[in-house]
């Protein structure tokens, strides 16, 4: 697939993946079309050499893998990791608010969101609903209102003359979105009833909505922008950009003779401490089923590599002093190797050398990021996976502006380039000494 075709599919994926649940469903759909077999964690598995499989957990995390020739301990696993979640506003359990004749929903801030860009956007709601059918059975369904149903209006500058100098945001009282005006003595809508109505539109017959995990998102579509179409802009580039890059590479290399695996965890933005997070047991439990014994698993891990793919901070032309002078990644100059002396990133000289060699072979430029020594840096699923599985790990990402904003920006050449490199990686016979 050429870069233009890759980016067209990327934009389609971003548009469909409004929540971790929808992203996981979209990846599963693409794997189904590519001939992967869906597994259920509750069933007994019989895996065959030369086959390709995937399994989801709790609808928001996914592992896809190919068995190659089936000799895991001899060849190791070529693994790539990413995460499905992004910072956003999550609807509270009892969210209904009536303030000055306006219906609003109370929200929590999920992850380290930049809150200012959430004001004055056209917002919709999506997520997972758990409901009871007329037989009393509990079911899960995904819902996406699709159309814009809410906004968080800014306070006019006439009422806050210092807004451009020192306005701060109180997440409890300043960001509940407005959904409609209530007339006269009209009661505020019941949010669960609104969810039941959406379920009915999908052909379901809920007796009651028991609970939900619903999120606000920006309805503005992903796009290619720039005088020469050099940028991709979208919500949730961190880290759906990596999810798409990984899934496309795995599908393209699914006939590899050597075992390959992609994991996309949930809850990275809130610490990864969950059944679907990188600090949870999803990867280990899956690998224990792929490898027949604990000895085989250990031997396999010592011949394996994990490439943790998560967005990197591009040097901002207006804030270049926030970067180390020798480590300022530039958009459309290739993927970024992320290094930290305190193991906030898990890159080693071995894994860095491997990706440099692969990039050279594919003609893809590569960059390096190290945070300023007087500033902290973020982290990824890389160190968590390395410490849990004992696998040699690389942290790499695509340079991005506006990370954790409601709308982020990356290069239109970088994702396709990294995907090419990952295809070559998945096809490697030998990984590291």
């Amino acid at each position: 697939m050429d870069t233009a075709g890759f980016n067209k599919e990327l934009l389609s994926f971003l548009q469909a993946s409004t929540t971790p649940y929808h992203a996981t469903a979209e990846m599963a759909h693409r794997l189904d079309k590519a001939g992967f077999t869906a597994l259920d964690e509750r069933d007994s598995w019989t895996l065959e050499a030369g086959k390709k499989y995937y399994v989801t957990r709790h609808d928001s995390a996914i592992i896809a893998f190919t068995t190659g020739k089936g000799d895991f301990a001899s060849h190791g696993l070529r693994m790539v990791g990413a995460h499905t979640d992004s910072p956003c506003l999550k609807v509270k359990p009892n969210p209904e608010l009536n303030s000055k004749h306006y219906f609003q929903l109370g929200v929590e801030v999920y992850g380290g969101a930049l809150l200012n860009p959430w004001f004055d956007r056209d917002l919709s709601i999506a997520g997972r609903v758990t409901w009871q059918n007329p037989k009393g059975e509990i079911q899960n369904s995904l819902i996406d209102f699709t159309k814009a149903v809410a906004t968080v209006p800014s306070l006019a500058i006439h009422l806050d003359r210092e807004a451009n100098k020192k306005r701060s945001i109180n997440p409890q009282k300043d960001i509940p979105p407005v959904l409609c005006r209530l007339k006269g003595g009209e009661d505020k809508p019941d949010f669960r009833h609104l969810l039941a109505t959406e379920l009915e539109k999908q052909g379901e017959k809920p007796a009651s909505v028991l609970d939900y995990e619903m999120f606000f998102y920006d309805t503005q579509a992903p796009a290619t922008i720039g005088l020469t179409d050099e940028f991709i802009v979208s919500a949730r580039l961190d880290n759906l950009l990596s999810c798409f890059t990984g899934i496309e590479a795995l599908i393209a290399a699914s006939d590899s003779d050597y075992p390959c695996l992609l994991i996309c965890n949930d809850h990275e933005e809130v610490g990864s401490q969950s059944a679907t997070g990188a600090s949870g047991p999803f990867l280990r439990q899956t690998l224990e089923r792929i490898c027949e014994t604990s000895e085989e698993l250990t031997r396999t891990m010592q011949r394996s590599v994990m490439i943790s793919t998560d967005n990197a901070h591009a040097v901002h032309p207006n804030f270049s002093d926030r970067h180390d002078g020798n480590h300022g990644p530039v958009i459309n100059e290739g993927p970024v190797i992320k290094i930290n002396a305190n193991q906030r990133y898990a890159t080693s000289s071995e894994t860095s050398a491997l990706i440099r060699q692969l990039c050279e072979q594919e003609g893809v430029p590569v960059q390096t990021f190290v945070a300023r020594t007087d500033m902290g840096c973020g982290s990824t699923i890389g160190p968590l996976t390395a410490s849990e599985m004992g696998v040699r790990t690389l942290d790499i990402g695509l340079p991005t502006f506006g990370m954790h904003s409601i709308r982020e920006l990356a290069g239109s050449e970088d994702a396709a380039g990294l995907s090419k490199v990952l295809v070559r990686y998945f096809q490697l016979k030998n990984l590291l000494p």
Side-chain angles (χ1 to χ4, degrees):
M1 187 186 305
D2 63 12
T3 299
F6 183 94
N7 287 336
K8 181 179 179 181
E9 288 297 311
L10 170 60
L11 296 181
S12 174
F13 175 77
L14 292 167
Q15 180 79 355
S17 302
T18 50
T19 72
Y21 303 107
H22 290 81
T24 300
E26 180 66 16
M27 285 187 280
H29 174 65
R30 289 173 180 269
L31 291 166
D32 286 334
K33 290 203 320 184
F36 282 68
T37 299
L39 300 171
D40 190 319
E41 289 194 281
R42 297 165 291 190
D43 296 338
S44 177
W45 295 356
T46 301
L47 305 178
E48 301 177 36
K51 299 294 184 180
K52 42 195 181 182
Y53 304 93
Y54 74 89
V55 58
T56 64
R57 176 171 285 191
H58 302 174
D59 301 324
S60 65
I62 189 167
I63 292 176
F65 62 95
T66 63
T67 55
K69 295 179 178 177
D71 191 352
F72 300 102
S74 295
H75 293 122
L77 275 160
R78 293 125 197 84
M79 298 192 290
V80 171
H83 64 88
T84 59
D85 61 319
S86 303
C88 62
L89 304 182
K90 183 178 182 180
V91 182
K92 289 182 174 180
N94 300 311
E96 296 89 353
L97 301 171
N98 180 350
S99 179
K100 301 299 180 183
H101 309 294
Y102 292 96
F103 174 54
Q104 297 175 272
L105 291 177
V107 292
E108 292 183 277
V109 179
Y110 178 90
L114 276 172
L115 292 179
N116 276 300
W118 280 82
F119 287 83
D120 307 317
R121 309 292 296 193
D122 300 339
L123 305 178
S124 190
I125 311 171
R128 182 178 69 173
V129 178
T130 303
W131 53 281
Q132 180 177 253
N133 68 20
K135 297 180 181 179
E137 300 165 330
I138 294 178
Q139 297 182 228
N140 288 320
S141 294
L142 303 190
I143 281 181
D144 190 336
F145 282 68
T146 306
K147 72 172 187 176
V149 297
T151 189
V152 183
S154 291
L155 180 64
I157 196 166
H158 314 79
L159 305 177
D160 182 5
R161 292 293 184 180
E162 299 297 305
N164 290 327
K165 295 181 180 178
K166 54 185 179 182
R167 178 181 288 180
S168 60
I169 299 170
N170 183 314
Q172 171 66 18
K173 71 180 189 67
D174 294 344
I175 62 171
V178 175
L179 281 80
C180 69
R181 180 174 167 271
L182 300 173
K183 302 175 184 177
E186 182 182 2
D187 290 335
K188 58 182 181 290
D190 178 86
F191 186 57
R192 282 175 170 78
H193 177 72
L194 295 177
L195 296 178
T197 300
E198 291 300 311
L199 287 170
E200 290 167 357
K201 291 178 182 178
Q202 296 178 183
E204 309 288 3
K205 297 181 179 179
S208 63
V209 170
L210 300 175
D211 223 322
Y212 55 81
E213 294 178 78
M214 301 297 293
F215 306 86
F216 281 94
Y217 72 92
D218 184 11
T219 59
Q220 185 175 1
T224 302
I225 69 166
L227 287 176
T228 57
D229 294 329
E230 62 262 52
F231 304 125
I232 297 286
V233 289
S234 175
R236 303 174 300 280
L237 288 182
D238 178 15
N239 188 29
L240 295 184
L241 193 59
S242 299
C243 291
F244 182 78
T245 300
I247 206 81
E248 287 299 299
L250 182 65
I251 289 171
S254 59
D255 59 350
S256 173
D257 288 338
Y258 309 107
C260 305
L261 181 146
L262 171 73
I263 179 168
C264 297
N265 292 108
D266 194 4
H267 298 138
E268 191 275 344
E269 298 293 358
V270 293
S272 296
Q273 297 280 344
S274 72
T276 53
S279 288
F282 188 26
L283 179 59
R284 174 171 285 279
Q285 289 176 344
T286 301
L287 291 176
E288 286 173 346
R289 302 180 77 168
I290 293 174
C291 300
E292 295 181 357
T293 66
S294 59
E295 178 181 325
E296 184 183 4
L297 176 56
T298 299
R299 292 175 60 205
T300 298
M301 287 299 95
Q302 295 314 303
R303 285 190 170 89
S304 300
V305 171
M306 164 63 79
I307 298 180
S308 167
T309 55
D310 202 346
N311 298 42
H313 297 289
V315 61
H316 195 301
N318 300 340
F319 302 94
S320 59
D321 61 334
R322 302 302 175 93
H323 278 72
D324 180 270
N326 290 340
H327 301 92
V330 177
I331 287 173
N332 283 330
E333 289 295 327
V336 181
I337 299 169
K338 298 155 76 171
I339 296 172
N340 181 258
N342 297 307
Q343 289 296 294
R344 298 291 289 169
Y345 304 129
T347 303
S348 69
S349 61
E350 287 183 307
T351 56
S352 177
L354 175 64
I355 200 69
R356 288 181 187 279
Q357 182 184 66
L358 293 171
C359 287
E360 182 179 356
Q361 291 169 348
E362 284 297 326
V364 173
V366 65
Q367 308 177 76
T368 306
F369 172 77
V370 179
R372 282 177 55 123
T373 307
D374 56 357
M375 294 176 64
C377 73
S379 192
T380 71
I381 67 169
L384 303 176
T385 305
S387 60
E388 170 65 21
M389 301 305 307
V391 63
R392 287 178 283 191
T393 301
L394 168 77
D395 270 300
I396 196 167
L398 298 177
T400 307
F401 286 156
M403 201 182 298
H404 289 200
S405 175
I406 197 170
R407 196 161 178 85
E408 300 163 321
L409 182 148
S412 58
E413 299 175 18
D414 285 332
L418 178 57
S419 189
K420 284 172 54 181
V421 172
L422 294 181
V423 170
R424 180 175 282 269
Y425 164 68
F426 282 138
Q427 295 171 334
L428 277 181
K429 178 179 181 180
N430 299 310
L431 291 169
L432 290 171

